[in-house]
Amino acid sequence: MTNSLFDKIWDSHCVDTNRSGRSVLYIDRHIIHEVTSAQAFEGLRMAQRMPWRKGSILATPDHQVPTTGREQGINAIHDPIARLQVTTLDENCSEYGILKFGLEDNRQGIVHVVGPEQGATLPGMTIVCGDSHTSTHGAFAALAQGIGTSEVEHVLATQCLSQKKPQSMRIQIDDELPQGSTAKDLILYIIGQLGMAGANGHVIEYAGKAIRQLSMEGRMTVCNMSIEMGARAGLVAFDETTETYLRGRPFAPQGPLLQQALEHWQTLHSDKDAIFDQDIRLSARDVAPHVTWGTSPDQVVPITGRVPDPEALSDTVQQAEYQRAQKYMGLSTGTPLIGIPIDRVFVGSCTNGRIEDIRSVANLLAGKTIAANIKEAIVVPGSGLVKAQAEQEGLHTIIKAAGVEWRAPGCSMCNAMNPDHLEPEERCASTSNRNFEGRQGQGGRTHLVSPVMAAAAAIAGHLVDARTVSEV
Amino acid sequence: MEKFLRHQGQVVPLNRANIDTDTIMPKQYLKCINKYGYGDWVFDNWRYLDPGDVNIPTSKRRTNPEFELNSAKYKGATLLLAQKNFGCGSSREHAVWGLRDYGIKVIICPEFPDIFHNNCFANGLLAIELKQEEVDHMFYLAESDNGLMATIDLNTQQVQMNHKTIKFKIDESLRQNLLNGYDNISVTLQQSEKIKAFEHRYFKHRPWLNVDLG
Ligand code: SF4
């Protein structure tokens, strides 16, 4: 029998399937943060239940944490309600004996950056987290799903999810990404092709030459945004790149256990004749740097493009959406993306807050200064360890010399729950994953781009094709 | 959980696709640690003309007369009708808590994203997928001068309107849970022995995963 990678992981974690086709799926790793776990622990307590396997859980606060003043610890959080949420996570973790990287811990960071860098994310695992971008971990050939708070409680209490097996989809990307285009451009392009609901109910496996050539960081960027097409998860098969990344990580197996694990991990790919409910083939050859013009990630064009004409669409619901998005973004049909003035620049998030992202930003910024009209440009590393690594490489010096702020790790302006946010009508070049209305601040206007495109926008003061901004 | 058998109510139409959970419940309300009390903030940015947060009483804010939920016509509506992909984006269950606390019992749209769909059922909210033309027909009626009253029967899986009945289909396990008011955790815990046996076998084959982080 031939199986897809998804089939293999699903089947090996299926505890039971009932008559209506719903399965009890065993969960290997549970990652929690401050925003979606408090009510789950409260529910657990009220029902007088205990966590089924507390050793499977990793906790870190990320959404609410400030990116400045961190030496003050919890006092750096001025909003009392936000502070209560972070201390509630602390209390729940100490009450149940759950591993937590707190505010003062160098390993603290965004859940989806921390899991992989600790080796807490391993191939073949089932992983859940009360956050939709859990799909990030799929880069490691793990079935990683975002869940709601009730499901967080469900996994705490039972170590399982109750769900119907999703459908499968393969997106095969042939050829190589052109020079100057990144994993972020690739996934923005894919989202543009499939649309916001294009993968609803599906687990996507990304395959093909362009994916194989990506680093683990790049693969995480791609898997991260699977949810932007409604996918349940994104997956990439295990290979040497995966193995090299994992070797020596704190929670990754070592010695004889590693040998045993490797034997299993090497089976984590789709068999040659595996069948997918949907099989899509695209080429990376023509993927230029991409930028969103609207208020959903699929409203995206190459940087050399223009704001599209709603009238050109046949679907009236979509037409109305385009009109609404243009209005919110303060843009009109035909405006070239290049040249749109930018107020703020944000580099960070679970999409693009890893060391490779910061390297590419420093590389472009080196020896240059940000434009006078930029009110603020910030680089927020995805974790304390990413920050330390970048500083060891001297990247922060280059970044600061360009006039860009070097901040402490967290989600920051990705969803602006901490103090970093846009003011109404401010326009931002952002490396995050969602450009929804108000996401980065009420009335704020977000253009999603890659790290190097964000850095180029900071230098130019407007959206620009990074390929035309010379690197030193 | 409360049982759901049958519900009759007015339909409020939100004729937009891809309404995301950031829109349904903006981030400033995600700081709370309770599970109830989000009703005043649902669709906050659309519902009010001035910005808000947890500390600003909604009674002090001007409402947006152009937003459907604020119009006298749809006051008290308990059935929400939307276009494709309602509830996409963030997994925040606060979006569902907000809709529930506002009084919404049923959401109808052509296609739901998975996490939101699961969150609805976990909170006793019935999320029904209908065909695009059926949804369009309901929009037509709900937006007409008379508006639309509908009855949802979970037992027969029917939407009943004046002269028309539409069939729908809900995953059988989820349907049984709602009809009987079961909570998902108790249902899964009935399988405790199976889960333990699974773990035992599983860790024997995958000893490298039998590691406690904490
Ligand atoms: S960085 Fe953004 S998308 Fe990622 S977990 Fe944080 S808020 Fe969510």
Side-chain angles (χ1 to χ4, degrees):
Chain A
M1 208 172 112
T2 56
N3 280 316
S4 70
L5 170 58
F6 168 49
D7 293 329
K8 290 180 188 180
I9 305 177
W10 178 273
D11 293 347
S12 64
H13 287 83
C14 228
V15 174
D16 188 55
T17 303
N18 74 10
R19 258 175 301 147
S20 68
R22 238 182 141 71
S23 295
V24 174
L25 190 76
Y26 189 76
I27 300 302
D28 293 309
R29 178 71 66 238
H30 190 181
I31 307 177
I32 60 176
H33 61 88
E34 77 278 26
V35 179
T36 55
S37 65
Q39 291 89 345
F41 280 106
E42 189 54 25
L44 201 69
R45 230 173 261 126
M46 286 192 358
Q48 299 188 317
R49 294 176 175 131
M50 290 297 283
W52 183 284
R53 190 156 74 81
K54 71 175 179 68
S56 69
I57 311 171
L58 172 62
T60 189
D62 54 3
H63 286 64
Q64 308 270 20
V65 305
T67 55
T68 54
R70 288 281 285 280
E71 60 291 343
Q72 301 160 46
I74 190 76
N75 291 328
I77 308 180
H78 299 299
D79 179 349
I81 312 172
R83 198 188 307 167
L84 178 64
Q85 212 168 46
V86 174
T87 52
T88 303
L89 179 71
D90 288 346
E91 284 161 18
N92 284 325
C93 289
S94 26
E95 177 178 342
Y96 294 106
I98 290 165
L99 174 67
K100 184 205 70 190
F101 301 152
L103 272 186
E104 53 309 309
D105 195 313
N106 204 23
R107 298 168 294 178
Q108 174 272 340
I110 306 170
V111 276
H112 313 309
V113 176
V114 170
E117 83 184 356
Q118 288 296 319
T121 295
L122 293 174
M125 273 184 167
T126 47
I127 301 176
V128 294
C129 174
D131 188 280
S132 60
H133 290 97
T134 307
S135 56
T136 313
H137 308 255
F140 292 82
L143 180 62
Q145 309 188 69
I147 55 177
T149 299
S150 293
E151 286 179 310
V152 170
E153 184 182 338
H154 190 281
V155 176
L156 284 173
T158 68
Q159 204 60 36
C160 294
L161 271 185
S162 157
Q163 73 177 148
K164 253 203 161 108
K165 187 176 178 183
Q167 293 188 289
S168 64
M169 176 188 286
R170 174 167 58 187
I171 302 182
Q172 173 139 340
I173 314 287
D174 296 325
D175 309 315
E176 296 177 24
L177 271 176
Q179 187 76 30
S181 294
T182 66
K184 180 65 163 287
D185 302 306
L186 177 58
I187 188 63
L188 284 174
Y189 164 76
I190 296 173
I191 295 166
Q193 295 293 309
L194 270 77
M196 284 277 283
N200 270 358
H202 287 75
V203 168
I204 303 174
E205 178 177 348
Y206 299 96
K209 189 169 180 189
I211 299 293
R212 294 261 72 84
Q213 287 184 337
L214 290 177
S215 64
M216 284 318 292
E217 283 83 355
R219 294 176 189 181
M220 283 189 257
T221 301
V222 169
C223 287
N224 174 273
M225 291 188 76
S226 305
I227 181 71
E228 262 53 76
M229 301 173 274
R232 208 65 195 82
L235 286 169
V236 175
F238 178 85
D239 64 9
E240 267 175 34
T241 308
T242 330
E243 182 186 334
T244 311
Y245 179 97
L246 284 172
R247 272 185 188 272
R249 303 262 161 195
F251 294 111
Q254 286 168 25
L257 276 183
L258 176 62
Q259 281 320 309
Q260 222 175 333
L262 277 170
E263 261 171 56
H264 172 61
W265 294 351
Q266 266 138 17
T267 67
L268 294 172
H269 53 78
S270 288
D271 296 334
K272 213 159 138 262
D273 302 317
I275 308 263
F276 297 83
D277 295 305
Q278 284 201 61
D279 212 346
I280 292 166
R281 236 178 146 137
L282 299 166
S283 167
R285 203 180 308 140
D286 304 319
V287 176
H290 271 57
V291 52
T292 60
W293 61 266
T295 54
S296 68
D298 62 347
Q299 292 173 341
V300 65
V301 290
I303 180 65
T304 48
R306 291 164 185 270
V307 176
D309 181 3
E311 306 288 326
L313 298 163
S314 52
D315 179 341
T316 52
V317 176
Q318 208 186 1
Q319 233 178 49
E321 253 184 272
Y322 268 45
Q323 275 153 355
R324 219 189 135 82
Q326 280 195 2
K327 187 161 169 239
Y328 182 88
M329 292 297 289
L331 295 171
S332 49
T333 299
T335 307
L337 270 297
I338 293 179
I340 295 176
I342 292 294
D343 302 302
R344 288 177 198 264
V345 174
F346 170 62
V347 175
S349 87
C350 57
T351 314
N352 284 125
R354 296 182 192 82
I355 188 67
E356 206 172 75
D357 303 315
I358 293 169
R359 283 187 195 129
S360 73
V361 166
N363 194 26
L364 191 128
L365 291 178
K368 302 188 188 74
T369 320
I370 59 170
N373 63 306
I374 299 289
K375 290 184 194 158
E376 184 182 73
I378 61 175
V379 175
V380 182
S383 73
L385 294 182
V386 169
K387 182 167 189 272
Q389 169 80 30
E391 288 175 357
Q392 204 193 336
E393 297 177 18
L395 305 178
H396 65 311
T397 320
I398 301 172
I399 289 167
K400 288 199 275 192
V404 176
E405 289 183 40
W406 179 243
R407 297 287 185 88
C411 295
S412 178
M413 218 155 77
C414 172
N415 78 336
M417 282 189 79
N418 78 348
D420 311 330
H421 67 276
L422 299 179
E423 296 299 331
E425 301 197 357
E426 275 185 349
R427 200 179 284 284
C428 180
S430 176
T431 67
S432 53
N433 42 54
R434 286 185 179 138
N435 49 345
F436 296 156
E437 288 182 20
R439 169 92 177 171
Q440 293 195 295
Q442 217 163 32
R445 295 162 171 170
T446 304
H447 293 277
L448 301 178
V449 288
S450 74
V452 70
M453 285 279 287
I459 298 299
H462 53 77
L463 291 176
V464 66
D465 189 338
R467 295 171 299 188
T468 63
V469 180
S470 65
E471 296 181 23
V472 281
Chain B
M1 208 157 60
E2 229 175 283
K3 289 183 188 181
F4 188 115
L5 302 168
R6 222 174 127 82
H7 176 79
Q8 186 181 41
Q10 205 199 354
V11 178
V12 53
L14 284 185
N15 206 345
R16 264 158 249 166
N18 300 320
I19 295 180
D20 58 81
T21 51
D22 278 75
T23 294
I24 302 173
M25 187 58 62
K27 56 185 160 276
Q28 62 267 37
Y29 304 110
L30 271 52
K31 297 178 198 260
C32 306
I33 55 169
N34 12 15
K35 210 170 170 172
Y36 295 90
Y38 294 87
D40 283 347
W41 304 320
V42 72
F43 300 111
D44 200 77
N45 291 339
W46 290 353
R47 226 161 121 198
Y48 303 98
L49 291 170
D50 359 69
D53 67 40
V54 187
N55 299 312
I56 305 174
T58 45
S59 58
K60 295 233 163 79
R61 297 166 64 196
R62 290 170 304 148
T63 51
N64 171 10
E66 282 172 27
F67 182 51
E68 288 84 341
L69 256 60
N70 289 336
S71 87
K73 185 174 165 192
Y74 300 118
K75 207 168 159 45
T78 50
L79 276 64
L80 184 72
L81 182 68
Q83 290 291 359
K84 191 165 112 170
N85 216 23
F86 182 82
C88 61
S90 160
S91 64
R92 59 188 72 170
E93 202 158 312
H94 311 67
V96 172
W97 298 334
L99 292 163
R100 175 202 61 196
D101 295 347
Y102 176 84
I104 299 295
K105 305 276 182 215
V106 181
I107 308 173
I108 299 173
C109 103
E111 185 183 324
F112 286 102
D114 302 280
I115 304 178
F116 182 80
H117 186 260
N118 291 345
N119 286 345
C120 283
F121 282 88
N123 290 281
L125 232 80
L126 180 56
I128 300 176
E129 290 186 335
L130 294 182
K131 293 199 194 81
Q132 184 67 51
E133 57 269 26
E134 293 165 344
V135 169
D136 289 342
H137 180 67
M138 287 186 74
F139 266 110
Y140 171 75
L141 296 174
E143 286 171 346
S144 71
D145 291 344
N146 294 332
L148 173 65
M149 287 290 281
T151 302
I152 310 298
D153 190 323
L154 185 57
N155 215 5
T156 57
Q157 304 190 71
Q158 283 179 339
V159 181
Q160 294 151 356
M161 298 172 282
N162 285 350
H163 306 293
K164 199 176 162 105
T165 299
I166 302 174
K167 286 287 284 174
F168 62 88
K169 185 123 192 59
I170 301 288
D171 172 276
E172 190 51 24
S173 311
L174 295 177
R175 193 172 80 94
Q176 289 302 334
N177 286 359
L178 272 191
L179 284 173
N180 296 296
Y182 296 151
D183 86 276
N184 297 339
I185 298 182
S186 310
V187 173
T188 304
L189 281 177
Q190 286 168 8
Q191 310 257 38
S192 289
E193 288 314 311
K194 271 194 186 166
I195 300 171
K196 281 183 201 151
F198 173 89
E199 261 180 338
H200 189 73
R201 283 195 313 272
Y202 183 73
F203 286 134
K204 216 149 77 200
H205 292 297
R206 304 200 182 163
W208 67 91
L209 292 178
N210 199 4
V211 174
D212 278 350
L213 299 181

